[in-house]
Amino acid sequence: MNRTVQIGEKIPARSGPREDAVPVDSVIPGAGPAAPGSGERATVRLRYTGPQEPPRYAPEWLELREPADAAGRAHELLDPLRIRLANLPGKAGFVIHDLGCGTGSMGRWLAPRLDGAQHWILHDRDPYLLHFAAVASPRSAADGSRVTVETRRGDVARLTPDGLAGASLVTASALLDVLTREEIETLADACTGAGCPALLTLSVAGRVELTPSDPMDAEITDAFNAHQRRDGMLGPDAITVACEAFSERGATVRVDPSPWRLGPGEAALTAQWLRGWVGAAVEERPELKARAERYLQERLAACEAGELRVTVHHGDLLALSRPTDGAS
Protein backbone atom coordinates (compact mmCIF):
# COMPACT_ATOMS: atom_id res chain seq x y z
CA MET A 1 0.00 0.00 0.00
CA ASN A 2 1.51 3.37 -1.04
CA ARG A 3 0.60 6.61 0.66
CA THR A 4 1.46 10.24 0.05
CA VAL A 5 1.26 12.80 2.84
CA GLN A 6 0.77 16.53 2.69
CA ILE A 7 3.35 18.64 4.48
CA GLY A 8 1.84 20.14 7.60
CA GLU A 9 -0.70 17.38 8.22
CA LYS A 10 -1.57 16.85 11.87
CA ILE A 11 -0.52 13.52 13.38
CA PRO A 12 -3.08 12.08 15.83
CA ALA A 13 -2.11 11.01 19.31
CA ARG A 14 -1.77 7.33 20.17
CA SER A 15 -2.50 5.67 23.46
CA GLY A 16 -2.59 2.20 24.94
CA PRO A 17 0.63 1.36 26.81
CA ARG A 18 1.88 -2.21 26.95
CA GLU A 19 2.27 -4.07 30.24
CA ASP A 20 5.94 -4.62 31.07
CA ALA A 21 7.54 -7.68 32.59
CA VAL A 22 8.83 -5.56 35.49
CA PRO A 23 6.16 -3.23 36.95
CA VAL A 24 7.42 0.35 36.77
CA ASP A 25 5.76 3.69 36.16
CA SER A 26 5.76 5.76 32.97
CA VAL A 27 6.90 3.12 30.51
CA ILE A 28 6.65 4.18 26.87
CA PRO A 29 5.02 1.40 24.83
CA GLY A 30 7.73 -0.42 22.94
CA ALA A 31 10.51 1.30 24.89
CA GLY A 32 13.75 -0.55 24.57
CA PRO A 33 13.87 -4.17 23.51
CA ALA A 34 11.10 -5.42 25.79
CA ALA A 35 8.78 -8.09 24.49
CA PRO A 36 5.74 -7.31 22.35
CA GLY A 37 2.27 -8.53 23.17
CA SER A 38 1.59 -12.19 23.78
CA GLY A 39 1.87 -14.25 20.64
CA GLU A 40 3.48 -11.51 18.54
CA ARG A 41 6.86 -12.28 17.04
CA ALA A 42 9.14 -9.30 17.49
CA THR A 43 10.35 -8.75 13.98
CA VAL A 44 9.80 -6.47 11.06
CA ARG A 45 7.38 -8.39 8.87
CA LEU A 46 7.84 -7.69 5.21
CA ARG A 47 4.33 -8.73 4.35
CA TYR A 48 1.21 -6.90 5.39
CA THR A 49 -0.88 -9.16 7.62
CA GLY A 50 -3.97 -7.11 8.29
CA PRO A 51 -5.26 -3.85 9.76
CA GLN A 52 -5.49 -5.19 13.33
CA GLU A 53 -1.79 -6.00 13.61
CA PRO A 54 -0.48 -4.15 16.68
CA PRO A 55 2.41 -1.68 16.37
CA ARG A 56 5.79 -2.73 17.67
CA TYR A 57 7.11 0.66 18.75
CA ALA A 58 5.56 3.82 20.08
CA PRO A 59 6.69 6.97 18.25
CA GLU A 60 7.56 8.53 21.61
CA TRP A 61 10.24 5.87 22.11
CA LEU A 62 11.62 6.32 18.61
CA GLU A 63 11.77 10.09 19.06
CA LEU A 64 13.47 9.71 22.45
CA ARG A 65 16.24 7.52 21.03
CA GLU A 66 16.79 9.50 17.82
CA PRO A 67 19.56 11.82 19.13
CA ALA A 68 21.51 8.86 20.57
CA ASP A 69 21.07 6.97 17.31
CA ALA A 70 22.36 9.95 15.33
CA ALA A 71 25.37 10.39 17.61
CA GLY A 72 26.15 6.67 17.61
CA ARG A 73 25.96 5.87 13.89
CA ALA A 74 29.33 5.15 12.30
CA HIS A 75 30.17 8.28 10.31
CA GLU A 76 33.27 6.50 8.97
CA LEU A 77 31.05 4.44 6.67
CA LEU A 78 29.78 7.52 4.85
CA ASP A 79 32.87 8.14 2.72
CA PRO A 80 32.94 4.70 1.06
CA LEU A 81 29.17 4.96 0.60
CA ARG A 82 29.48 8.39 -1.03
CA ILE A 83 32.18 7.08 -3.37
CA ARG A 84 29.98 4.17 -4.41
CA LEU A 85 26.97 6.41 -5.00
CA ALA A 86 29.05 8.92 -6.96
CA ASN A 87 30.14 6.14 -9.31
CA LEU A 88 26.63 4.94 -10.10
CA PRO A 89 25.63 5.44 -13.74
CA GLY A 90 22.99 8.03 -14.53
CA LYS A 91 22.45 11.53 -13.13
CA ALA A 92 18.77 11.44 -12.25
CA GLY A 93 19.38 11.12 -8.50
CA PHE A 94 19.30 8.33 -5.97
CA VAL A 95 16.46 6.00 -4.99
CA ILE A 96 16.81 4.90 -1.36
CA HIS A 97 14.69 2.21 0.31
CA ASP A 98 14.45 2.57 4.10
CA LEU A 99 13.26 -0.73 5.61
CA GLY A 100 11.34 -0.64 8.88
CA CYS A 101 11.63 3.15 8.76
CA GLY A 102 9.75 3.87 11.99
CA THR A 103 9.46 7.64 12.35
CA GLY A 104 12.04 8.21 9.61
CA SER A 105 15.11 8.94 11.70
CA MET A 106 17.49 7.34 9.18
CA GLY A 107 16.31 9.68 6.44
CA ARG A 108 16.64 12.71 8.70
CA TRP A 109 20.20 11.66 9.52
CA LEU A 110 21.42 10.45 6.13
CA ALA A 111 19.68 12.57 3.49
CA PRO A 112 21.37 15.85 4.59
CA ARG A 113 24.75 14.07 4.51
CA LEU A 114 24.52 13.00 0.86
CA ASP A 115 24.80 15.21 -2.21
CA GLY A 116 22.34 14.90 -5.05
CA ALA A 117 18.61 14.53 -5.55
CA GLN A 118 17.10 11.69 -3.54
CA HIS A 119 13.83 9.81 -3.57
CA TRP A 120 13.24 7.87 -0.36
CA ILE A 121 10.84 4.92 -0.30
CA LEU A 122 9.84 4.36 3.33
CA HIS A 123 8.75 0.84 4.31
CA ASP A 124 6.99 -0.02 7.57
CA ARG A 125 4.04 -2.14 8.68
CA ASP A 126 2.65 0.61 10.94
CA PRO A 127 0.67 3.26 9.01
CA TYR A 128 0.92 5.72 11.91
CA LEU A 129 4.71 5.62 11.83
CA LEU A 130 4.72 5.90 8.04
CA HIS A 131 2.59 9.02 8.32
CA PHE A 132 4.95 10.50 10.89
CA ALA A 133 8.04 9.62 8.83
CA ALA A 134 6.65 11.19 5.66
CA VAL A 135 5.59 14.41 7.34
CA ALA A 136 8.91 14.79 9.19
CA SER A 137 11.19 13.83 6.31
CA PRO A 138 13.95 16.21 5.17
CA ARG A 139 13.34 18.16 1.98
CA SER A 140 16.86 18.88 0.81
CA ALA A 141 20.20 17.07 0.45
CA ALA A 142 23.63 18.28 1.56
CA ASP A 143 24.04 20.32 -1.62
CA GLY A 144 20.49 21.66 -1.59
CA SER A 145 19.14 19.12 -4.07
CA ARG A 146 15.55 18.05 -3.64
CA VAL A 147 14.56 15.10 -1.40
CA THR A 148 11.18 13.45 -2.00
CA VAL A 149 9.49 10.56 -0.20
CA GLU A 150 6.83 7.93 -0.68
CA THR A 151 5.53 5.34 1.78
CA ARG A 152 4.86 1.64 1.39
CA ARG A 153 3.07 -0.34 4.04
CA GLY A 154 4.35 -3.87 4.32
CA ASP A 155 7.46 -5.83 5.19
CA VAL A 156 10.76 -7.09 3.92
CA ALA A 157 10.80 -10.85 4.51
CA ARG A 158 9.72 -11.38 0.92
CA LEU A 159 11.89 -8.67 -0.55
CA THR A 160 13.30 -9.64 -3.96
CA PRO A 161 15.81 -8.15 -6.40
CA ASP A 162 12.84 -7.11 -8.55
CA GLY A 163 11.48 -5.19 -5.57
CA LEU A 164 14.72 -3.20 -5.53
CA ALA A 165 14.83 -2.54 -9.27
CA GLY A 166 16.26 0.93 -9.76
CA ALA A 167 17.41 1.23 -6.14
CA SER A 168 20.61 3.07 -5.35
CA LEU A 169 20.76 2.14 -1.65
CA VAL A 170 18.95 0.12 1.03
CA THR A 171 19.04 1.40 4.60
CA ALA A 172 17.68 0.22 7.94
CA SER A 173 18.16 0.95 11.62
CA ALA A 174 17.84 -1.53 14.50
CA LEU A 175 16.56 -4.17 12.07
CA LEU A 176 19.08 -6.99 11.71
CA ASP A 177 18.89 -8.20 15.30
CA VAL A 178 15.14 -8.87 15.08
CA LEU A 179 15.50 -10.99 11.94
CA THR A 180 16.12 -14.70 11.55
CA ARG A 181 18.97 -16.19 9.57
CA GLU A 182 16.57 -16.94 6.72
CA GLU A 183 15.31 -13.35 6.66
CA ILE A 184 18.83 -11.94 6.62
CA GLU A 185 19.71 -14.24 3.73
CA THR A 186 16.59 -13.05 1.92
CA LEU A 187 17.67 -9.45 2.46
CA ALA A 188 21.20 -10.21 1.25
CA ASP A 189 19.82 -12.02 -1.80
CA ALA A 190 17.66 -9.03 -2.68
CA CYS A 191 20.40 -6.43 -2.26
CA THR A 192 23.16 -8.36 -4.00
CA GLY A 193 20.80 -9.55 -6.71
CA ALA A 194 19.92 -5.94 -7.47
CA GLY A 195 23.56 -4.79 -7.17
CA CYS A 196 22.42 -2.42 -4.44
CA PRO A 197 24.57 -1.32 -1.48
CA ALA A 198 23.10 -1.63 2.02
CA LEU A 199 23.72 0.52 5.10
CA LEU A 200 22.31 -1.35 8.10
CA THR A 201 22.85 0.48 11.37
CA LEU A 202 22.46 0.11 15.13
CA SER A 203 22.32 -3.67 15.47
CA VAL A 204 22.74 -4.79 19.08
CA ALA A 205 26.15 -6.27 19.86
CA GLY A 206 25.20 -8.00 23.12
CA ARG A 207 27.47 -5.87 25.30
CA VAL A 208 26.47 -3.21 27.80
CA GLU A 209 28.69 -1.26 30.20
CA LEU A 210 27.19 0.49 33.23
CA THR A 211 29.19 2.81 35.50
CA PRO A 212 29.22 2.31 38.43
CA SER A 213 29.03 -1.44 37.94
CA ASP A 214 26.74 -3.81 39.82
CA PRO A 215 27.02 -7.58 40.40
CA MET A 216 23.72 -8.11 38.54
CA ASP A 217 24.87 -6.38 35.34
CA ALA A 218 26.19 -9.58 33.80
CA GLU A 219 23.10 -11.62 34.75
CA ILE A 220 20.73 -9.09 33.21
CA THR A 221 22.89 -8.87 30.09
CA ASP A 222 22.96 -12.64 29.64
CA ALA A 223 19.20 -12.94 30.15
CA PHE A 224 18.53 -10.08 27.75
CA ASN A 225 20.75 -11.62 25.08
CA ALA A 226 18.90 -14.92 25.46
CA HIS A 227 15.62 -13.03 25.08
CA GLN A 228 16.89 -11.47 21.86
CA ARG A 229 17.62 -14.94 20.43
CA ARG A 230 14.15 -16.39 21.04
CA ASP A 231 12.02 -17.79 18.22
CA GLY A 232 14.97 -18.01 15.86
CA MET A 233 15.84 -14.32 15.96
CA LEU A 234 19.54 -13.61 15.84
CA GLY A 235 19.88 -10.79 18.38
CA PRO A 236 23.57 -10.07 19.01
CA ASP A 237 24.59 -12.72 16.44
CA ALA A 238 22.95 -10.81 13.60
CA ILE A 239 25.94 -8.72 12.55
CA THR A 240 28.14 -11.79 12.12
CA VAL A 241 25.43 -13.64 10.18
CA ALA A 242 24.79 -10.61 7.96
CA CYS A 243 28.51 -10.21 7.23
CA GLU A 244 28.70 -13.84 6.17
CA ALA A 245 25.53 -13.63 4.08
CA PHE A 246 26.59 -10.56 2.13
CA SER A 247 30.21 -11.72 1.76
CA GLU A 248 29.15 -15.13 0.43
CA ARG A 249 27.19 -13.29 -2.25
CA GLY A 250 30.19 -11.28 -3.39
CA ALA A 251 29.65 -8.03 -1.49
CA THR A 252 32.44 -6.08 0.18
CA VAL A 253 31.45 -5.71 3.84
CA ARG A 254 32.64 -3.35 6.52
CA VAL A 255 31.43 -3.14 10.12
CA ASP A 256 32.10 -0.23 12.48
CA PRO A 257 30.94 0.31 16.08
CA SER A 258 27.97 2.59 16.76
CA PRO A 259 27.51 2.72 20.55
CA TRP A 260 25.05 4.72 22.54
CA ARG A 261 26.97 6.69 25.18
CA LEU A 262 24.41 7.76 27.75
CA GLY A 263 25.16 10.14 30.60
CA PRO A 264 23.24 12.67 32.72
CA GLY A 265 22.17 14.55 29.59
CA GLU A 266 20.37 11.45 28.29
CA ALA A 267 18.67 10.50 31.56
CA ALA A 268 15.19 10.17 30.03
CA LEU A 269 16.43 7.76 27.37
CA THR A 270 18.53 5.84 29.87
CA ALA A 271 15.55 5.35 32.19
CA GLN A 272 13.30 4.07 29.42
CA TRP A 273 16.04 1.82 28.05
CA LEU A 274 16.65 0.38 31.53
CA ARG A 275 12.97 -0.50 31.92
CA GLY A 276 12.87 -2.27 28.59
CA TRP A 277 16.22 -4.00 29.08
CA VAL A 278 15.42 -5.34 32.54
CA GLY A 279 11.86 -6.19 31.51
CA ALA A 280 13.11 -8.34 28.63
CA ALA A 281 15.59 -10.09 30.92
CA VAL A 282 12.87 -10.94 33.45
CA GLU A 283 10.52 -12.18 30.76
CA GLU A 284 13.27 -14.56 29.66
CA ARG A 285 14.20 -15.62 33.21
CA PRO A 286 11.27 -15.05 35.60
CA GLU A 287 13.34 -16.29 38.54
CA LEU A 288 15.23 -12.97 38.38
CA LYS A 289 12.08 -10.93 39.04
CA ALA A 290 12.46 -10.06 42.73
CA ARG A 291 16.15 -9.17 42.50
CA ALA A 292 15.66 -7.45 39.17
CA GLU A 293 12.98 -5.13 40.59
CA ARG A 294 15.39 -3.98 43.30
CA TYR A 295 18.19 -3.65 40.75
CA LEU A 296 16.01 -1.58 38.43
CA GLN A 297 14.87 0.80 41.15
CA GLU A 298 18.46 1.35 42.28
CA ARG A 299 19.59 1.97 38.70
CA LEU A 300 16.72 4.39 38.07
CA ALA A 301 17.57 6.29 41.24
CA ALA A 302 21.20 6.59 40.14
CA CYS A 303 20.07 7.74 36.73
CA GLU A 304 17.81 10.42 38.20
CA ALA A 305 20.69 11.61 40.42
CA GLY A 306 22.99 11.96 37.39
CA GLU A 307 25.32 9.26 38.71
CA LEU A 308 24.81 6.58 36.05
CA ARG A 309 26.56 6.23 32.71
CA VAL A 310 25.70 3.52 30.19
CA THR A 311 27.34 2.39 26.97
CA VAL A 312 25.08 0.22 24.82
CA HIS A 313 27.17 -1.33 22.07
CA HIS A 314 25.84 -1.61 18.52
CA GLY A 315 27.37 -2.20 15.12
CA ASP A 316 26.81 -0.57 11.70
CA LEU A 317 27.28 -2.61 8.53
CA LEU A 318 27.97 -1.33 5.02
CA ALA A 319 27.68 -3.96 2.28
CA LEU A 320 28.80 -2.88 -1.18
CA SER A 321 27.33 -5.38 -3.62
CA ARG A 322 28.75 -5.85 -7.07
CA PRO A 323 26.90 -3.58 -9.49
CA THR A 324 24.54 -5.19 -11.96
CA ASP A 325 22.91 -3.94 -15.12
CA GLY A 326 19.77 -3.30 -13.09
CA ALA A 327 21.48 -1.01 -10.57
CA SER A 328 20.82 2.71 -10.77
Side-chain angles (χ1 to χ4, degrees), residues 22-24 214 216 220 278 282 287-301:
V22 174
V24 291
D214 184 279
M216 274 203 78
I220 298 295
V278 175
V282 171
E287 68 274 14
L288 294 176
K289 182 176 173 58
R291 290 190 298 127
E293 286 181 351
R294 291 192 296 272
Y295 171 87
L296 177 59
Q297 295 305 328
E298 290 170 0
R299 285 306 199 184
L300 289 173

Side-chain angles (χ1 to χ4, degrees), residues 65-75 105 108-109 113 202 259-260:
R65 65 174 286 172
E66 185 167 344
D69 287 348
R73 286 193 181 96
H75 290 65
S105 64
R108 288 188 291 276
W109 179 79
R113 289 173 167 80
L202 298 165
W260 280 356

Side-chain angles (χ1 to χ4, degrees), residues 59-312:
E60 294 85 357
W61 165 248
L62 298 176
E63 289 181 83
L64 186 61
R65 65 174 286 172
E66 185 167 344
D69 287 348
R73 286 193 181 96
H75 290 65
E76 296 80 5
L77 297 181
L78 290 179
D79 281 345
L81 175 60
R82 291 186 185 108
I83 292 170
R84 173 60 181 274
L85 293 176
N87 288 327
L88 290 176
K91 300 296 182 181
F94 306 129
V95 176
I96 302 172
H97 289 255
D98 188 12
L99 308 180
C101 68
T103 59
S105 64
M106 173 61 93
R108 288 188 291 276
W109 179 79
L110 184 58
R113 289 173 167 80
L114 298 177
D115 289 332
Q118 302 165 39
H119 181 67
W120 283 70
I121 301 173
L122 309 178
H123 300 255
D124 205 282
R125 65 187 180 90
D126 186 338
Y128 180 88
L129 295 182
L130 283 174
H131 189 123
F132 191 109
V135 169
S137 66
R139 302 300 169 182
S140 60
D143 60 356
S145 297
R146 188 181 181 197
V147 175
T148 57
V149 300
E150 69 176 272
T151 62
R152 294 185 184 176
R153 188 177 181 191
D155 260 324
V156 267
R158 289 180 178 172
L159 195 64
T160 65
D162 287 345
L164 294 178
S168 310
L169 174 66
V170 166
T171 68
S173 288
L175 173 66
L176 290 180
D177 44 70
V178 297
L179 298 181
T180 65
R181 181 180 294 271
E182 180 182 5
E183 287 167 340
I184 285 181
E185 290 178 350
T186 296
L187 177 61
D189 279 337
C191 292
T192 56
C196 180
L199 179 63
L200 308 170
T201 69
L202 298 165
S203 298
V204 295
R207 293 181 293 116
V208 177
E209 298 167 17
L210 297 97
T211 305
S213 62
D214 184 279
M216 274 203 78
D217 292 347
E219 275 187 280
I220 298 295
T221 298
D222 288 345
F224 169 74
N225 288 342
H227 184 270
Q228 292 297 90
R229 294 182 174 110
R230 70 200 183 285
D231 299 330
M233 292 187 299
L234 290 169
D237 307 319
I239 296 175
T240 298
V241 171
C243 285
E244 293 171 352
F246 278 95
S247 296
E248 288 169 357
R249 290 158 177 80
T252 300
V253 180
R254 174 174 166 179
V255 176
D256 279 12
S258 54
W260 280 356
R261 301 190 188 279
L262 309 179
E266 296 77 32
L269 173 60
T270 303
Q272 290 292 346
W273 172 83
L274 277 166
R275 292 173 175 126
W277 185 61
V278 175
V282 171
E283 179 168 295
E284 180 67 23
R285 296 182 183 165
E287 68 274 14
L288 294 176
K289 182 176 173 58
R291 290 190 298 127
E293 286 181 351
R294 291 192 296 272
Y295 171 87
L296 177 59
Q297 295 305 328
E298 290 170 0
R299 285 306 199 184
L300 289 173
C303 179
E304 185 176 0
E307 299 169 353
L308 182 66
R309 284 174 167 76
V310 180
T311 300
V312 183

Side-chain angles (χ1 to χ4, degrees), residues 28-71:
I28 294 175
S38 177
E40 181 191 355
R41 180 158 169 269
T43 187
V44 176
R45 296 177 191 77
L46 297 177
R47 27 198 190 277
Y48 173 53
T49 58
Q52 301 306 314
E53 186 176 346
R56 173 164 168 75
Y57 292 120
E60 294 85 357
W61 165 248
L62 298 176
E63 289 181 83
L64 186 61
R65 65 174 286 172
E66 185 167 344
D69 287 348

